[in-house]
Amino acid sequence: MSDMNLTLKVWRQKSKDQKGCFETYKTLASEHMSFLEMLDVVNEKLERDGKDPVAFDHDCREGICGACSMVINGSPHGPEKATTTCQLHMRKFKDGDTIVIEPWRAKAFPVLKDLIVDRGAFDRIIQSGGYTSAATGGVPDANSILIPKERADEAMDAAQCIGCGACVAACPNASAMLFVGAKVSHLANLPQGQVEAKTRVQNMVTQMDKEGFGNCTNHGECESSCPKEISIKFISKMNREYLGALSHVQKSAAAE
Amino acid sequence: MNRDCPAQTSIGKKVLMALTGLMLSGFIVGHLLGNLTIFAGREWINSYAYHLEELKPLVWAARITLLGLVTIHILTAICLTIKNRQARPVAYAKKEHQTTSVGARTMALTGTVILAFIIFHLMHFTFRVTHPEISNSLDEHGHRDVFKMVVMSFQRPELAFGYVAALTLLFLHLSHGLWSLFQSIGLLGERTLPVAKKISCAVSFILYLAYISIPLTCYFGLVKV
Amino acid sequence: MASSPKLNSNIPEGDLKDKWQNRLAEYKLVNPANKRKHKIIIVGTGLAGGAAAATLAELGYNVESFCYQDSPRRAHSIAAQGGINASKNYRGDNDSIYRLFYDTIKGGDFRAREANVYRLAQISGNIIDQCVAQGVPFAREYSGYLANRSFGGAQVSRTFYARGQTGQQLLLGAYQALERQINAKKVTMHERTEMLDLVLVNGQARGIIARNMVTGEITKHVADCVILATGGYGNVFYLSTNAKGCSASAIHRAYKRGALMANPCYTQIHPTCIPVSGDYQSKLTLMSESLRNDGRMWAPKAKGDKRPPNEIPENERDYFLERKYPSYGNLAPRDISSRAAKEACDEGRGVGPNGLGVYLDFADAIKRLGKQTVKERYGNLIDMYNRITGEDPYTQPMRIYPAVHYTMGGLWVDYDLMSNIPGLFVTGEANFSDHGANRLGASALMQGLADGYFISPHSVSNYIASVKPGKVTTDAPEFAAAEKETREKIKRMLSINGKTTVDEFHRRLGKIIWDKCGMARTKEGLEQAIKEIRALRAEFWKDLKVTGGENELNQSLERAGRVADFLEFGEVLCMDALHREESCGGHFRVEYQTEEGEAKRNDEKFTYAAAWEFTGVDSQPILHKEELKFESIHLQTRSYK
């Protein structure tokens, strides 16, 4: 096992309202470690020294929960394609490397502490319409709705989004259109999602704008940083759905 | 949920950018076709200019439309850019780019310079205020001698290469803008996306070559008065 | 044997087939106009919690939902890969409710409650319908119909799946339903909020004490009843396939408040995980059971064979599952497959740097189906393996080793999923109810959603309608007392200022439990483990080092609270394992095995669920027994040969 000496420059920020700055740490790492395990080692040392460990979001550590969120050397989730931070392994780095670690940077994702940001904006976007309104029970047999395999596959391609926010972090404009596009497309691709498709896209776009995300200018950075490699074709699909819904006027729910 | 006016939403603005961009691109093609008559000789381009003058009301209608399009394109761009800048109040200390192109990253910059260029271009050739000494001669039919004006202008290195430089920026702007506009109005999909990017580059490069052929041929004396 | 009077399983009358319908008919209802006057606390937003929150809110109740993650969408149900079982019989391969019921009871080694399992099999089909209506993109055939795959422990294809991300898609379905209710203001969501205690008023569960993990604020929440859907306790082993934040704290605090902890010794060790690579290892990564549809497990026949796998000829390989269990082969259930892999390693035939691994080989599948098909079926898993190990499973077999994956034990609940504390409901992995001593693959998602969408909403309504919990506020002295205890515990942890980090304690606890209460358990080992855990616990309270303060985002403090609970819970786990002098499912006592090394149950003495009552941190808990009656299936030796 080859050990490597690393220099880490880590963003430290006590809380939402305080100013942050970079701090430098030296550490040893094995090539078999995951990136987060490397940080665990740094943190345990900090704790033993009576210092505050680096706070970062993480949970499943197998690339699916979407909690981990760091910009590593300028790339969200680090240099390896289609990989979340928790699945990034240290064999991608070499002895003597300096690694800069920053939180997601976006107005809509305020830093809570160190590398932890608040991604509640994503939840609020889903709240505004990212669902089908199927009440529990009283639904037809699963096989009564036939869905061509290609459509189901495309819906799945979009539905894979883990909501990590790397798309926003990567976008030069901090736009959330890949996230929103993926959910709009997932549901718009399926017959079950058709009924509410028009109000869904309108409401989700409105909420997205309200949260203070930037606008897509088609850089494609989101797609290449997405750990699930979700295609920007879904942004195009969202735009199409949105334009298709222009003539649709929503009736107030209060009129029921 | 209350719906915003479509033109005020992010997608609405992108669509505005796309549609005005599309129409302006159409003008760029038309304008080029007119300009290329220079290679057919003095007669052709001067009579093209003369006939254009005769259609004055139409020309003015076109000019006002273009002015409108440019205004919408620019104002929307300003709105979008301000919002985009606000969306990331703290910049990254280190940021790597993966796929984005020079064209994409410099849209605001190229756009601004192109605007300045357009103003100069109008002053230069349309309103003829920058170089009156070469812009106001007439040909043997008593028509404005556009041919002479163009050729003599581009014999000056600062004008020839200034135009080439501005057109390079226009090329960059179009290389990203052309496919982007189809993406923004939702026409692209899995198969068409990569194709659109290539076509966009190719078309804007062809336009670029065609446009710069005029100052370059004049400067190097391939087209002479 | 008669059940302890404390444990009324409350199983409905009637034929097994009719029990659930009968119970539904008996349930009292709450008038729609009155529902909005009642509040329900739900802790956990995984499949069981998220689905229940959405459904109860939709019914008209006010719901307060809690999760420790930054969003309900991150609950660990999301990590389930392979699929979800349902007895739809869409393949026409003679599947049925009875067969799913039978397989689950047998898979659980006859240690689950018949009535609950039958209900689970009955509901399984509705779950698929519900999820499809929500837009879950299950895999489809070219005909447009739903696709199925096979899974361990069954001879029919009844598993529905969405690539290797079934849990994710099902969870997102529940999450979206939940978000819809948040938007409708029927659910108040508390993200980054951890439950730290359960509050009982007049013997009924009436609320919780929670900590806002961003500000450190301690808050009190009151409701008509409380649902715990907080998952399993696999992280007591430190290394497991659970998420880092998964803990036993919620169920352990409920246990300390009087809820009974049932069968904690039933822990599932999943056979196919990526082996440990070093001391810094923070978690183990599962490779879906579905890989065993096409992958073949083997170890070299010779001890200490250090040749690379591709140089070991066919006749020197031992395809141990196919050899030992010819009728199920590589699809033998998890407990059995794990033990077989461990056995090979114990014999010195393990592979990899530390000899703790066996091969899972796709060479035959690639030969038979082509690389492309294998890639389509398992591509994302193979890529994940490649990222973690740097090895390519298309050209050399995967190395795998068993790891803690799921815990069948949990808080004791009756047929209505209510614990012995009135008003405390426990659902999903957090309860003990449906999987007996071993869970079959693709059944966790099924149970979580059955509990969340179709069972708890009705039983909770019935509770509110029949018990009519009266008006209580957070001003009740019980809330103040619980809050005070919570604050004191936090202060105590922060004030020790010793030398050892939380993670160090957790690793040491995990090692004790894995070594002595893991895949093979002995009386001596367990007794030793209990002693060691007690000593470690004492050391924890003397030498813990937690930096930072209480009124801030403090991840070390969060972990310390969880590890403190694990240090108590681990002892209960070992006590249960010690008392159960038989081997069954995931609980393997070395003293009780057949000559062939298979688990040997003792039905005469142990056909019961063991439910432990807390009596004090350092004192022996009281054992209560719920007798398990098998009326539809005869107790038999479980065989997959």
Side-chain angles (χ1 to χ4, degrees):
Chain A
M1 194 189 298
S2 63
D3 278 345
M4 46 188 133
N5 282 293
L6 299 170
T7 306
L8 309 179
K9 288 190 169 166
V10 186
W11 182 260
R12 303 301 309 263
Q13 182 173 339
K14 269 239 149 258
S15 69
K16 196 171 173 176
D17 312 312
Q18 294 183 48
K19 278 208 150 150
C21 63
F22 282 96
E23 298 230 0
T24 306
Y25 306 99
K26 300 247 183 223
T27 191
L28 265 180
S30 139
E31 58 170 348
H32 296 292
M33 283 178 169
S34 73
F35 194 84
L36 296 185
E37 285 165 351
M38 182 274 292
L39 282 179
D40 289 342
V41 171
V42 173
N43 273 347
E44 275 206 73
K45 175 152 191 322
L46 285 172
E47 282 181 84
R48 279 193 209 101
D49 296 346
K51 292 181 188 143
D52 209 13
V54 180
F56 57 89
D57 263 328
H58 66 104
D59 204 23
C60 78
R61 296 208 177 188
E62 50 188 282
I64 193 74
C65 76
C68 57
S69 47
M70 307 176 184
V71 175
I72 301 166
N73 277 342
S75 302
H77 292 305
E80 195 177 7
K81 272 199 96 105
T83 303
T84 53
T85 300
C86 64
Q87 294 231 298
L88 175 66
H89 276 65
M90 295 312 291
R91 67 177 70 87
K92 294 281 153 189
F93 298 89
K94 49 183 197 308
D95 190 35
D97 274 1
T98 296
I99 307 174
V100 181
I101 310 171
E102 295 174 78
W104 286 176
R105 296 281 187 206
K107 183 179 160 205
F109 290 164
V111 174
L112 296 178
K113 182 173 184 181
D114 298 342
L115 303 170
I116 296 182
V117 298
D118 178 0
R119 285 169 287 194
F122 272 8
D123 287 330
R124 290 187 292 275
I125 292 172
I126 298 295
Q127 279 159 30
S128 72
Y131 43 74
T132 71
S133 300
T136 305
V139 296
D141 183 83
N143 255 349
S144 66
I145 309 169
L146 296 190
I147 303 173
K149 187 175 187 310
E150 308 76 58
R151 280 196 88 89
D153 283 347
E154 183 158 313
M156 182 64 202
D157 287 342
Q160 292 192 70
C161 168
I162 59 173
C164 65
C167 46
V168 175
C171 177
N173 311 326
S175 164
M177 286 203 185
L178 190 63
F179 171 79
V180 182
K183 187 47 69 191
V184 165
S185 304
H186 157 213
L187 293 170
N189 254 319
L190 299 171
Q192 303 92 301
Q194 279 304 316
V195 180
E196 298 164 288
K198 288 186 170 153
T199 48
R200 176 182 308 120
V201 67
Q202 289 175 347
N203 291 345
M204 288 180 78
V205 168
T206 304
Q207 186 64 34
M208 169 181 79
D209 289 350
K210 226 190 259 175
E211 297 290 348
F213 291 104
N215 305 281
C216 174
T217 49
N218 305 315
H219 290 276
E221 289 292 307
C222 50
E223 178 183 307
S224 49
S225 292
C226 175
K228 296 291 157 191
E229 299 188 292
I230 293 173
S231 163
I232 55 169
K233 74 177 179 186
F234 295 122
I235 298 182
S236 186
K237 166 110 181 148
M238 169 178 65
N239 295 341
R240 186 155 71 240
E241 289 285 324
Y242 184 79
L243 290 175
L246 273 187
S247 59
H248 179 79
V249 180
Q250 287 185 38
K251 293 215 173 68
S252 160
E256 272 174 15
Chain B
M1 183 179 292
N2 286 327
R3 180 153 63 109
D4 292 342
C5 162
Q8 282 171 344
T9 64
S10 48
I11 296 182
K13 290 199 200 92
K14 277 159 55 76
V15 170
L16 272 184
M17 286 301 283
L19 294 179
T20 50
L22 179 66
M23 288 184 258
L24 291 170
S25 306
F27 167 74
I28 287 171
V29 174
H31 187 48
L32 174 70
L33 292 177
N35 291 358
L36 288 178
T37 53
I38 195 169
F39 295 119
R42 179 190 293 242
E43 287 293 314
W44 278 79
I45 189 164
N46 285 0
S47 97
Y48 159 69
Y50 175 71
H51 288 298
L52 217 52
E53 288 267 309
E54 282 195 318
L55 298 168
K56 219 163 201 155
L58 270 182
V59 170
W60 273 105
R63 280 176 179 165
I64 288 164
T65 311
L66 282 172
L67 185 67
L69 290 175
V70 169
T71 311
I72 295 172
H73 199 74
I74 291 170
L75 289 181
T76 317
I78 291 170
C79 281
L80 286 170
T81 309
I82 290 173
K83 180 119 200 250
N84 292 346
R85 298 269 154 90
Q86 284 172 344
R88 176 159 298 134
V90 181
Y92 288 108
K94 183 170 182 182
K95 186 74 176 66
E96 294 286 324
H97 296 294
Q98 318 267 345
T99 51
T100 182
S101 60
V102 181
R105 286 214 307 278
T106 53
M107 287 303 269
L109 179 72
T110 52
T112 314
V113 179
I114 290 164
L115 173 66
F117 166 70
I118 291 171
I119 294 168
F120 173 79
H121 181 57
L122 290 173
M123 295 299 185
H124 180 191
F125 285 144
T126 308
F127 304 114
R128 301 181 297 278
V129 290
T130 57
H131 299 77
E133 70 282 9
I134 50 177
S135 306
N136 288 327
S137 54
L138 301 177
D139 66 6
E140 62 268 28
H141 307 287
H143 300 157
R144 186 167 313 291
D145 195 347
V146 174
F147 183 79
K148 187 177 165 197
M149 167 175 81
V150 172
V151 175
M152 286 185 66
S153 291
F154 290 146
Q155 281 172 352
R156 301 184 175 197
E158 73 277 12
L159 284 175
F161 291 104
Y163 269 68
V164 170
L167 288 165
T168 310
L169 297 184
L170 181 66
F171 157 68
L172 279 177
H173 200 81
L174 286 180
S175 67
H176 180 68
L178 281 181
W179 78 266
S180 272
L181 76 88
F182 292 105
Q183 168 82 355
S184 292
I185 52 179
L187 293 181
L188 299 184
E190 176 137 33
R191 278 186 299 274
T192 42
L193 244 167
V195 182
K197 280 188 183 180
K198 284 193 189 108
I199 293 180
S200 170
C201 251
V203 168
S204 40
F205 194 63
I206 291 167
L207 286 173
Y208 175 58
L209 289 182
Y211 263 111
I212 62 170
S213 67
I214 299 169
L216 290 180
T217 48
C218 295
Y219 179 73
F220 290 109
L222 299 172
V223 177
K224 282 183 258 196
V225 183
Chain C
M1 184 199 314
S3 291
S4 148
K6 214 165 175 157
L7 303 175
N8 178 7
S9 56
N10 211 1
I11 296 168
E13 293 302 310
D15 227 32
L16 188 61
K17 287 200 292 295
D18 304 326
K19 284 183 191 294
W20 180 231
Q21 285 312 315
N22 292 348
R23 177 54 51 88
L24 282 173
E26 287 162 26
Y27 276 155
K28 291 202 174 99
L29 301 174
V30 179
N31 171 331
N34 287 337
K35 281 184 183 141
R36 73 174 87 95
K37 296 177 192 157
H38 296 282
K39 193 196 271 178
I40 297 153
I41 284 176
I42 303 179
V43 187
T45 58
L47 291 183
T55 304
L56 282 162
E58 204 171 82
L59 286 172
Y61 295 102
N62 297 310
V63 174
E64 281 204 58
S65 178
F66 295 80
C67 68
Y68 71 82
Q69 299 91 340
D70 70 320
S71 161
R73 68 178 293 150
R74 309 210 195 281
H76 199 56
S77 307
I78 204 157
Q81 296 168 351
I84 176 167
N85 287 330
S87 57
K88 283 284 200 184
N89 193 29
Y90 280 165
R91 300 271 79 71
D93 53 3
N94 195 10
D95 194 8
S96 62
I97 290 172
Y98 182 81
R99 206 176 280 279
L100 173 54
F101 158 68
Y102 177 86
D103 286 347
T104 309
I105 289 281
K106 179 184 166 193
D109 217 352
F110 301 91
R111 290 293 177 264
R113 200 188 276 151
E114 266 194 347
N116 283 54
V117 177
Y118 196 85
R119 172 178 63 186
L120 180 64
Q122 282 176 308
I123 290 173
S124 64
N126 303 49
I127 298 172
I128 304 301
D129 299 342
Q130 183 63 32
C131 294
V132 166
Q134 288 173 343
V136 169
F138 283 120
R140 302 253 163 190
E141 308 283 357
Y142 280 101
S143 57
Y145 288 99
L146 288 155
N148 291 103
R149 58 165 57 142
S150 324
F151 239 70
Q155 290 174 313
V156 293
S157 279
R158 62 160 75 100
T159 305
F160 294 80
Y161 62 101
R163 293 203 189 134
Q165 290 139 272
T166 317
Q168 181 200 23
Q169 292 310 313
L170 296 178
L171 181 70
L172 292 183
Y175 157 76
Q176 287 164 201
L178 171 61
E179 294 297 301
R180 181 165 80 98
Q181 295 304 324
I182 296 173
N183 190 45
K185 307 244 179 324
K186 291 304 294 178
V187 176
T188 310
M189 186 70 227
H190 303 270
E191 297 98 349
R192 292 195 198 270
T193 306
E194 187 169 20
M195 166 182 162
L196 293 184
D197 209 349
L198 178 74
V199 182
L200 271 58
V201 181
N202 302 327
Q204 295 173 340
R206 291 308 297 267
I208 64 168
I209 304 294
R211 179 172 179 269
N212 179 324
M213 293 155 74
V214 178
T215 61
E217 188 192 356
I218 304 290
T219 51
K220 297 176 278 192
H221 305 267
V222 65
D224 292 276
C225 63
V226 175
I227 302 180
L228 298 186
T230 52
Y233 48 84
N235 273 349
V236 69
F237 290 82
Y238 184 65
L239 288 181
S240 80
T241 65
N242 285 6
K244 290 298 283 178
C246 293
S247 76
S249 287
I251 57 171
H252 185 68
R253 307 285 170 104
Y255 163 72
K256 289 176 84 172
R257 293 279 171 201
L260 301 184
M261 185 67 74
N263 298 338
C265 76
Y266 295 157
T267 53
Q268 180 168 77
I269 316 283
H270 195 291
T272 52
C273 298
I274 300 178
V276 174
S277 71
D279 301 333
Y280 46 79
Q281 188 101 19
S282 63
K283 81 154 266 157
L284 295 168
T285 305
L286 177 76
M287 290 281 105
S288 167
E289 179 160 302
S290 61
L291 290 169
R292 289 198 276 142
N293 270 312
D294 289 305
R296 301 174 69 194
M297 283 172 72
W298 64 274
K301 278 185 183 163
K303 287 181 185 179
D305 192 337
K306 291 285 171 209
R307 284 175 292 175
N310 296 338
E311 287 173 21
I312 299 177
E314 204 56 33
N315 60 6
E316 292 178 40
R317 298 176 177 191
D318 173 24
Y319 293 92
F320 50 85
L321 287 180
E322 294 167 32
R323 171 172 58 81
K324 295 177 75 167
Y325 310 102
S327 68
Y328 280 72
N330 289 296
L331 286 179
R334 292 174 176 175
D335 53 339
I336 288 176
S337 308
S338 293
R339 266 202 302 282
K342 178 179 188 293
E343 201 178 275
C345 296
D346 289 349
E347 289 166 13
R349 300 191 287 125
V351 300
N354 49 11
L356 291 177
V358 295
Y359 291 122
L360 181 63
D361 201 334
F362 292 91
D364 279 355
I366 292 172
K367 225 179 280 165
R368 190 175 74 243
L369 307 160
K371 187 177 165 183
Q372 193 50 41
T373 309
V374 171
K375 195 175 177 155
E376 271 168 29
R377 288 188 189 167
Y378 312 111
N380 58 339
L381 295 166
I382 289 176
D383 292 347
M384 193 201 292
Y385 180 86
N386 180 268
R387 273 198 294 275
I388 293 173
T389 61
E391 296 170 2
D392 176 18
Y394 293 114
T395 56
Q396 66 183 99
M398 284 182 179
R399 282 180 301 114
I400 52 161
Y401 195 69
V404 178
H405 178 57
Y406 186 88
T407 55
M408 283 73 69
L411 289 179
W412 183 89
V413 288
D414 65 6
Y415 186 78
D416 298 319
L417 304 181
M418 188 166 84
S419 70
N420 56 305
I421 297 177
L424 178 68
F425 292 80
V426 190
T427 59
E429 191 179 347
N431 74 26
F432 89 114
S433 70
D434 293 359
H435 305 296
N438 174 55
R439 176 177 67 77
L440 290 184
S443 284
L445 300 181
M446 173 171 71
Q447 189 217 342
L449 289 180
D451 289 2
Y453 284 130
F454 298 106
I455 303 172
S456 59
H458 301 302
S459 59
V460 162
S461 288
N462 175 65
Y463 173 81
I464 290 174
S466 45
V467 174
K468 298 193 178 64
K471 182 115 184 99
V472 167
T473 67
T474 51
D475 298 332
E478 289 86 348
F479 276 93
E483 185 192 357
K484 188 163 168 266
E485 274 179 52
T486 303
R487 286 186 190 280
E488 279 166 2
K489 185 174 170 188
I490 290 174
K491 285 217 161 58
R492 198 177 153 200
M493 288 189 293
L494 284 166
S495 63
I496 300 169
N497 202 16
K499 288 189 197 65
T500 311
T501 62
V502 183
D503 287 355
E504 182 56 34
F505 279 114
H506 199 172
R507 271 193 293 269
R508 282 160 61 184
L509 172 68
K511 183 157 168 37
I512 295 170
I513 296 186
W514 175 249
D515 287 348
K516 304 198 170 73
C517 194
M519 271 190 286
R521 303 161 175 180
T522 64
K523 181 168 184 282
E524 296 70 38
L526 290 164
E527 284 168 347
Q528 182 65 27
I530 292 170
K531 272 192 212 135
E532 288 178 24
I533 293 170
R534 285 184 178 160
L536 189 64
R537 192 164 64 222
E539 195 185 330
F540 178 88
W541 289 108
K542 274 199 217 93
D543 195 38
L544 175 69
K545 174 102 180 173
V546 180
T547 54
E550 58 191 297
N551 296 320
E552 60 185 50
L553 199 163
N554 188 337
Q555 294 180 314
S556 306
L557 179 64
E558 292 158 17
R559 285 202 300 275
R562 294 168 195 158
V563 172
D565 290 331
F566 277 137
L567 281 165
E568 294 174 8
F569 174 80
E571 189 179 325
V572 186
L573 166 63
C574 292
M575 277 179 185
D576 186 44
L578 180 64
H579 114 281
R580 189 167 282 277
E581 293 175 329
E582 64 163 353
S583 294
C584 57
H587 170 64
F588 191 78
R589 282 283 296 267
V590 175
E591 304 96 316
Y592 308 98
Q593 53 180 314
T594 65
E595 281 166 16
E596 292 149 310
E598 301 294 338
K600 197 165 143 193
R601 289 197 325 256
N602 183 344
D603 291 337
E604 224 147 273
K605 272 185 76 182
F606 290 99
T607 311
Y608 63 79
W612 300 91
E613 182 183 350
F614 178 75
T615 54
V617 171
D618 291 310
S619 73
Q620 176 79 20
I622 299 167
L623 173 65
H624 298 271
K625 296 176 184 176
E626 180 198 337
E627 189 192 353
L628 298 170
K629 295 198 189 89
F630 290 90
E631 289 161 348
S632 303
I633 300 179
H634 291 294
L635 279 166
Q636 51 183 284
T637 303
R638 182 173 166 237
S639 168
Y640 292 91
K641 291 204 182 277

